[in-house]
């Protein structure tokens, strides 16, 4: 199968080393401004995927992200932020990266080329047909991810992908592909830039929309967030003040008693 790998095409700019710092920053920003428009075009694809994710997670399923390099790291970041933000357990949204945890901080040579390790990593989490697996690959050609998605398909597991190339191998494998075509990178081939930004935006949309539909947000507030530091405790107190029209002192007392914003709200009308 042939396809145009736009993520590898020459940059729209040349002689970067001769540009001033101001010009470099301005031109990078010009390119970055094209990313949200590319994401907007992909909203129908994102919607189709999220609809399936919500159904699966309502039934007790989990969401897995898989990727290598920058793509894998972004998946790990999004997954790791769901528990503190939405109060879900750490095994509801799981990020897997080729090369394991070591690869989060440094490159692991040839890890992304394995056609067996991806599925092995998934089986270590006892994956089943209740779950959803999203492969993240800017190029759309990462063997670690593609082989795992193929195996998921054969096992009846729902699959999606996020990529920045149209009609790539990963799009052909994923049941619900999301293609955000951002074009050539400012530094040729450096897909941590526009493609990475696009991936982060899409991941934000997927996890946030899913959690909202699962009831993890009230109004526009993170009422299930973990109270893991003083800043978040203060935020929780202010949420209670706004929601219940009470004083700071009363809200603080409620939060300390119930150990969570949602619990404090739910119990407020039952004797505090």
């Amino acid at each position: 199968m042939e396809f145009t790998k736009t993520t590898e095409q020459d940059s729209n700019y040349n002689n970067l080393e001769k540009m001033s710092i101001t010009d470099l920053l301005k031109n990078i920003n010009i390119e970055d401004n094209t990313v949200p428009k590319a994401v907007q075009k992909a909203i129908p694809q994102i919607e189709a995927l999220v609809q399936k994710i919500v159904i699966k997670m309502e039934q007790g399923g989990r969401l897995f992200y898989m990727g290598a390099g920058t793509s894998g790291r972004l998946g790990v970041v999004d997954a790791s932020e769901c528990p503190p933000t939405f109060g879900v357990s750490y095994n509801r949204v799981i990020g897997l990266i080729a090369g394991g945890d070591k690869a989060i901080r440094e490159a692991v040579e040839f890890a992304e080329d394995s056609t067996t390790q991806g599925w092995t990593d998934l089986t270590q989490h006892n994956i089943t047909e209740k779950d959803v697996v999203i492969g993240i690959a800017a190029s759309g050609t990462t063997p670690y991810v593609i082989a795992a998605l193929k195996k998921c398909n054969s096992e009846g597991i729902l699959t999606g992908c996020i990529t920045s190339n149209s009609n790539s191998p990963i799009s052909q494998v994923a049941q619900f592909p999301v293609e955000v075509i951002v074009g050539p990178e400012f530094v040729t081939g450096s897909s941590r830039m526009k493609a990475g930004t696009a991936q982060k935006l899409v991941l934000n949309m997927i996890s946030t929309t899913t959690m909202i539909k699962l009831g993890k947000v009230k109004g526009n507030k993170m009422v299930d967030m973990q109270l893991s530091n003083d800043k978040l405790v203060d935020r929780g107190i202010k949420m209670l003040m706004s929601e219940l029209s009470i004083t700071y002192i009363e809200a603080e007392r409620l939060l300390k008693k119930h150990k969570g914003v949602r619990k404090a709200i739910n119990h407020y009308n039952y004797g505090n």
Side-chain angles (χ1 to χ4, degrees), residues 94-107:
I94 299 168
L96 301 177
I97 182 170
D101 286 351
K102 178 183 178 182
I104 295 173
R105 293 175 177 81
E106 57 186 82

Side-chain angles (χ1 to χ4, degrees), residues 8 98 149 211:
E8 299 293 332
L149 294 188
M211 292 300 160

Side-chain angles (χ1 to χ4, degrees), residues 4-272:
T4 301
K5 193 182 281 190
T6 57
T7 54
E8 299 293 332
Q9 290 183 340
D10 277 351
S11 170
N12 295 321
Y13 305 80
N14 205 350
N15 300 314
L16 303 186
E17 71 277 15
K18 296 180 181 179
M19 289 184 186
S20 67
I21 290 175
T22 297
D23 286 343
L24 286 168
L25 296 176
K26 285 182 176 180
N27 289 329
I28 290 172
N29 183 246
I30 288 171
E31 290 299 301
D32 286 346
N33 277 327
T34 67
V35 176
K37 295 178 181 178
V39 172
Q40 183 179 32
K41 293 179 181 179
I43 286 178
Q45 292 180 324
I46 301 169
E47 179 184 5
L49 176 56
V50 171
Q51 286 177 338
K52 295 296 184 180
I53 294 171
V54 171
I55 292 171
K56 288 288 187 178
M57 295 193 76
E58 284 178 335
Q59 297 171 347
R62 298 166 296 171
L63 173 60
F64 288 83
Y65 297 135
M66 297 190 72
T70 297
S71 298
R73 294 181 189 105
L74 288 169
V76 170
V77 167
D78 194 76
S80 66
E81 289 174 345
C82 286
T85 305
F86 301 109
V88 296
S89 66
Y90 279 93
N91 66 358
R92 290 303 305 279
V93 184
I94 299 168
L96 301 177
I97 182 170
D101 286 351
K102 178 183 178 182
I104 295 173
R105 293 175 177 81
E106 57 186 82
V108 176
E109 292 185 357
F110 303 109
E112 69 177 64
D113 297 325
S114 173
T115 57
T116 58
Q117 190 60 46
W119 178 248
T120 298
D121 291 346
L122 286 169
T123 57
Q124 289 176 353
H125 292 272
N126 299 313
I127 191 165
T128 73
E129 68 280 356
K130 293 181 180 179
D131 302 318
V132 179
V133 178
I134 299 178
I136 312 170
S139 67
T141 59
T142 308
Y144 168 84
V145 179
I146 293 172
L149 294 188
K150 286 181 179 178
K151 183 63 174 177
C152 287
N153 289 339
S154 70
E155 297 291 329
I157 299 166
L158 190 73
T159 58
C161 75
I162 304 170
T163 184
S164 287
N165 283 317
S166 180
N167 299 315
S168 67
I170 197 171
S171 292
Q172 300 300 315
V173 170
Q175 298 165 31
F176 291 89
V178 174
E179 297 177 328
V180 185
I181 312 305
V182 296
E185 297 287 1
F186 182 74
V187 175
T188 299
S190 182
S191 56
R192 71 182 185 86
M193 300 186 76
K194 289 194 297 182
T197 300
Q199 290 170 349
K200 176 58 176 168
L201 291 175
V202 173
L203 288 167
N204 285 347
M205 295 167 77
I206 290 173
S207 58
T208 303
T209 302
T210 296
M211 292 300 160
I212 291 171
K213 299 308 292 183
L214 291 176
K216 307 306 291 183
V217 171
K218 181 176 175 58
N220 58 19
K221 302 297 193 300
M222 301 180 290
V223 293
D224 290 322
M225 67 180 182
Q226 295 177 355
L227 304 174
S228 56
N229 57 51
D230 289 341
K231 178 190 73 175
L232 295 179
V233 170
D234 183 67
R235 181 182 298 169
I237 291 169
K238 290 175 180 175
M239 284 185 193
L240 292 176
M241 292 172 64
S242 175
E243 180 72 19
L244 303 174
S245 299
I246 58 179
T247 66
Y248 189 97
I249 293 174
E250 189 174 6
E252 183 178 28
R253 181 183 64 80
L254 277 173
L255 196 62
K256 286 182 178 179
K257 180 178 180 180
H258 298 292
K259 310 298 183 184
V261 175
R262 185 185 294 277
K263 289 182 179 179
I265 293 172
N266 289 343
H267 285 83
Y268 182 71
N269 293 321
Y270 298 93
N272 293 343

